Structures are given as C-alpha cells and as structure tokens.
C-alpha cells in the first residue's frame, strides 16, 4: 500500500515541503503492517530506508557491553507496545 501525502505532512520532518514535492515523495513510499515483537532494524545494520510510525508504538533498544562483558539490551522496557504497528517507509 502506498503512503499518503497527509500521512507524511503530519511529521515535522516533512513540514514545509511543497505539496507537489510531497506527492512525488509518496510515490516512493510504502505502508506495511508488522506484528509486535518483530525487529524492524538491528543495531549496526546499514540504513535501507527511512521509517516512520503511522499507528502503534515501537520500542527502540540498543545493545551495550556492561561491566560483565555480556551483550545486554538497553531500552524502555516499560513502554507498552502495540500488537500491530503500521509503518511507512521510503527506500
């Protein structure tokens, strides 16, 4: 499914972009529903797209090596996540 111009215009990143340009950007965009718990991207992977959340909530976590030397996730574990998350992406 394609991303709509009104979806993009609600994000500050796209504020001030002319309607004609925004419409051209939406042609390169896609919309997808993903299941909660799925990793959308992983730390240190090269960027493949610009993602934005259209509905639902995502958790951002990063992995760090603690004093124990173990690879441990760091993030907001108290954030309620959605079962289904609708994302838009360009790329």
């Amino acid at each position: 499914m394609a991303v709509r111009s009104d979806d993009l215009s609600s994000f500050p990143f796209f504020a001030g972009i002319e309607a004609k340009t925004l419409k051209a950007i939406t042609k390169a965009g896609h919309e997808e529903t993903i299941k909660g718990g799925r990793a959308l991207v992983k730390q240190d992977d090269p960027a493949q797209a610009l993602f934005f959340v259209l509905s639902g909530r995502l958790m951002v976590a990063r992995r760090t090596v603690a004093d124990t030397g173990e690879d441990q996730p760091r993030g907001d574990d108290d954030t309620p996540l959605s079962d289904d998350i609708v994302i838009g992406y360009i790329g």
Side-chain angles (χ1 to χ4, degrees):
M1 176 182 280
V3 177
R4 298 183 321 239
S5 294
D6 58 328
D7 288 335
L8 292 183
S9 64
S10 67
F11 290 92
F13 182 83
F14 296 101
I17 295 178
E18 294 179 11
K20 182 179 177 181
T21 304
L22 199 56
K23 187 173 183 177
I25 292 170
T26 62
K27 290 181 180 179
H30 306 279
E31 184 177 307
E32 180 180 342
T33 300
I34 60 173
K35 296 291 181 187
R38 175 184 159 210
L40 185 57
V41 294
K42 294 183 180 176
Q43 184 172 323
D44 299 324
D45 281 353
Q48 299 295 320
L50 168 66
F51 294 97
F52 40 94
V53 179
L54 298 172
S55 71
R57 293 181 67 135
L58 292 177
M59 180 181 80
V60 176
R62 63 185 176 97
R63 296 204 168 268
T64 61
V65 177
D67 293 337
T68 62
E70 295 177 18
D71 191 19
Q72 298 181 3
R74 300 277 192 210
D76 185 1
D77 294 328
D78 296 327
T79 303
L81 303 179
S82 303
D83 290 334
D84 290 330
I85 302 145
V86 180
I87 60 163
Y89 62 95
I90 300 170

